[in-house]
PDB file of all heavy atoms in Angstrom:
ATOM      1  N   THR A 716      -5.867 -21.390   9.588  1.00 82.00           N
ATOM      2  CA  THR A 716      -5.845 -20.853  10.946  1.00 82.00           C
ATOM      3  C   THR A 716      -6.060 -21.923  12.001  1.00 82.00           C
ATOM      4  O   THR A 716      -5.787 -21.696  13.166  1.00 82.00           O
ATOM      5  CB  THR A 716      -6.910 -19.757  11.131  1.00 82.00           C
ATOM      6  OG1 THR A 716      -8.170 -20.265  10.714  1.00 82.00           O
ATOM      7  CG2 THR A 716      -6.551 -18.527  10.343  1.00 82.00           C
ATOM      8  N   GLN A 717      -6.545 -23.081  11.594  1.00 72.00           N
ATOM      9  CA  GLN A 717      -6.725 -24.137  12.581  1.00 72.00           C
ATOM     10  C   GLN A 717      -5.805 -25.290  12.230  1.00 72.00           C
ATOM     11  O   GLN A 717      -6.213 -26.238  11.573  1.00 72.00           O
ATOM     12  CB  GLN A 717      -8.170 -24.629  12.589  1.00 72.00           C
ATOM     13  CG  GLN A 717      -9.155 -23.520  12.783  1.00 72.00           C
ATOM     14  CD  GLN A 717     -10.542 -23.927  12.306  1.00 72.00           C
ATOM     15  OE1 GLN A 717     -10.739 -24.979  11.713  1.00 72.00           O
ATOM     16  NE2 GLN A 717     -11.510 -23.085  12.577  1.00 72.00           N
ATOM     17  N   ALA A 718      -4.587 -25.176  12.628  1.00 52.00           N
ATOM     18  CA  ALA A 718      -3.611 -26.193  12.270  1.00 52.00           C
ATOM     19  C   ALA A 718      -3.959 -27.517  12.951  1.00 52.00           C
ATOM     20  O   ALA A 718      -4.269 -27.564  14.129  1.00 52.00           O
ATOM     21  CB  ALA A 718      -2.228 -25.758  12.685  1.00 52.00           C
ATOM     22  N   SER A 719      -3.936 -28.557  12.181  1.00 45.00           N
ATOM     23  CA  SER A 719      -4.125 -29.872  12.786  1.00 45.00           C
ATOM     24  C   SER A 719      -2.777 -30.343  13.335  1.00 45.00           C
ATOM     25  O   SER A 719      -1.744 -29.769  13.052  1.00 45.00           O
ATOM     26  CB  SER A 719      -4.641 -30.846  11.739  1.00 45.00           C
ATOM     27  OG  SER A 719      -3.687 -30.958  10.715  1.00 45.00           O
ATOM     28  N   GLN A 720      -2.799 -31.405  14.089  1.00 42.00           N
ATOM     29  CA  GLN A 720      -1.574 -31.942  14.665  1.00 42.00           C
ATOM     30  C   GLN A 720      -0.503 -32.170  13.584  1.00 42.00           C
ATOM     31  O   GLN A 720       0.625 -31.790  13.730  1.00 42.00           O
ATOM     32  CB  GLN A 720      -1.846 -33.303  15.335  1.00 42.00           C
ATOM     33  CG  GLN A 720      -2.136 -33.365  16.816  1.00 42.00           C
ATOM     34  CD  GLN A 720      -1.839 -32.164  17.663  1.00 42.00           C
ATOM     35  OE1 GLN A 720      -2.327 -31.081  17.470  1.00 42.00           O
ATOM     36  NE2 GLN A 720      -1.023 -32.366  18.680  1.00 42.00           N
ATOM     37  N   ASN A 731      -2.153 -22.581  14.509  1.00 61.00           N
ATOM     38  CA  ASN A 731      -3.298 -22.278  15.348  1.00 61.00           C
ATOM     39  C   ASN A 731      -3.152 -20.824  15.774  1.00 61.00           C
ATOM     40  O   ASN A 731      -2.421 -20.517  16.706  1.00 61.00           O
ATOM     41  CB  ASN A 731      -3.288 -23.223  16.556  1.00 61.00           C
ATOM     42  CG  ASN A 731      -4.517 -23.029  17.413  1.00 61.00           C
ATOM     43  OD1 ASN A 731      -5.168 -21.992  17.359  1.00 61.00           O
ATOM     44  ND2 ASN A 731      -4.834 -24.029  18.201  1.00 61.00           N
ATOM     45  N   SER A 732      -3.862 -19.956  15.070  1.00 64.00           N
ATOM     46  CA  SER A 732      -3.573 -18.532  15.246  1.00 64.00           C
ATOM     47  C   SER A 732      -3.948 -18.020  16.628  1.00 64.00           C
ATOM     48  O   SER A 732      -3.334 -17.107  17.145  1.00 64.00           O
ATOM     49  CB  SER A 732      -4.270 -17.713  14.162  1.00 64.00           C
ATOM     50  OG  SER A 732      -5.659 -17.931  14.212  1.00 64.00           O
ATOM     51  N   SER A 733      -4.963 -18.653  17.272  1.00 62.00           N
ATOM     52  CA  SER A 733      -5.316 -18.123  18.581  1.00 62.00           C
ATOM     53  C   SER A 733      -4.291 -18.555  19.638  1.00 62.00           C
ATOM     54  O   SER A 733      -4.239 -18.011  20.724  1.00 62.00           O
ATOM     55  CB  SER A 733      -6.736 -18.538  18.971  1.00 62.00           C
ATOM     56  OG  SER A 733      -6.843 -19.932  19.045  1.00 62.00           O
ATOM     57  N   GLU A 734      -3.467 -19.534  19.277  1.00 66.00           N
ATOM     58  CA  GLU A 734      -2.419 -19.943  20.203  1.00 66.00           C
ATOM     59  C   GLU A 734      -1.159 -19.101  19.991  1.00 66.00           C
ATOM     60  O   GLU A 734      -0.418 -18.815  20.914  1.00 66.00           O
ATOM     61  CB  GLU A 734      -2.084 -21.413  19.935  1.00 66.00           C
ATOM     62  CG  GLU A 734      -1.863 -22.236  21.177  1.00 66.00           C
ATOM     63  CD  GLU A 734      -1.802 -23.707  20.808  1.00 66.00           C
ATOM     64  OE1 GLU A 734      -1.068 -24.038  19.857  1.00 66.00           O
ATOM     65  OE2 GLU A 734      -2.481 -24.505  21.466  1.00 66.00           O
ATOM     66  N   GLN A 735      -0.957 -18.711  18.731  1.00 76.00           N
ATOM     67  CA  GLN A 735       0.288 -18.063  18.345  1.00 76.00           C
ATOM     68  C   GLN A 735       0.403 -16.609  18.807  1.00 76.00           C
ATOM     69  O   GLN A 735       1.487 -16.138  19.073  1.00 76.00           O
ATOM     70  CB  GLN A 735       0.406 -18.071  16.817  1.00 76.00           C
ATOM     71  CG  GLN A 735       0.622 -19.436  16.224  1.00 76.00           C
ATOM     72  CD  GLN A 735       2.040 -19.914  16.425  1.00 76.00           C
ATOM     73  OE1 GLN A 735       2.976 -19.118  16.429  1.00 76.00           O
ATOM     74  NE2 GLN A 735       2.208 -21.207  16.599  1.00 76.00           N
ATOM     75  N   ARG A 776      -0.070 -16.265  31.614  1.00 90.00           N
ATOM     76  CA  ARG A 776      -1.085 -16.462  30.583  1.00 90.00           C
ATOM     77  C   ARG A 776      -2.497 -16.101  31.034  1.00 90.00           C
ATOM     78  O   ARG A 776      -3.332 -15.703  30.212  1.00 90.00           O
ATOM     79  CB  ARG A 776      -1.091 -17.922  30.138  1.00 90.00           C
ATOM     80  CG  ARG A 776      -0.560 -18.113  28.736  1.00 90.00           C
ATOM     81  CD  ARG A 776      -0.736 -19.557  28.313  1.00 90.00           C
ATOM     82  NE  ARG A 776       0.412 -20.052  27.554  1.00 90.00           N
ATOM     83  CZ  ARG A 776       0.647 -19.743  26.289  1.00 90.00           C
ATOM     84  NH1 ARG A 776      -0.169 -18.950  25.648  1.00 90.00           N
ATOM     85  NH2 ARG A 776       1.705 -20.215  25.674  1.00 90.00           N
TER      86      ARG A 776
HETATM   87  C1  NAG B 645      -5.932 -23.601  19.199  1.00 82.84           C
HETATM   88  O1  NAG B 645      -5.495 -23.042  20.406  1.00 82.84           O
HETATM   89  C2  NAG B 645      -6.555 -22.681  21.315  1.00 82.84           C
HETATM   90  C3  NAG B 645      -5.939 -22.003  22.542  1.00 82.84           C
HETATM   91  O2  NAG B 645      -4.890 -22.725  23.053  1.00 82.84           O
HETATM   92  C4  NAG B 645      -7.345 -23.939  21.690  1.00 82.84           C
HETATM   93  O3  NAG B 645      -8.418 -23.597  22.541  1.00 82.84           O
HETATM   94  C5  NAG B 645      -7.880 -24.590  20.413  1.00 82.84           C
HETATM   95  O4  NAG B 645      -8.521 -25.799  20.727  1.00 82.84           O
HETATM   96  C6  NAG B 645      -6.749 -24.846  19.422  1.00 82.84           C
HETATM   97  N1  NAG B 645      -7.321 -25.312  18.162  1.00 82.84           N
HETATM   98  C7  NAG B 645      -6.812 -26.336  17.469  1.00 82.84           C
HETATM   99  C8  NAG B 645      -7.547 -26.716  16.227  1.00 82.84           C
HETATM  100  O5  NAG B 645      -5.785 -26.933  17.792  1.00 82.84           O
END
Side-chain angles (χ1 to χ4, degrees):
T716 53
Q717 306 160 353
S719 61
Q720 265 346 59
N731 184 339
S732 59
S733 61
E734 221 169 48
Q735 291 284 327
R776 250 186 219 284

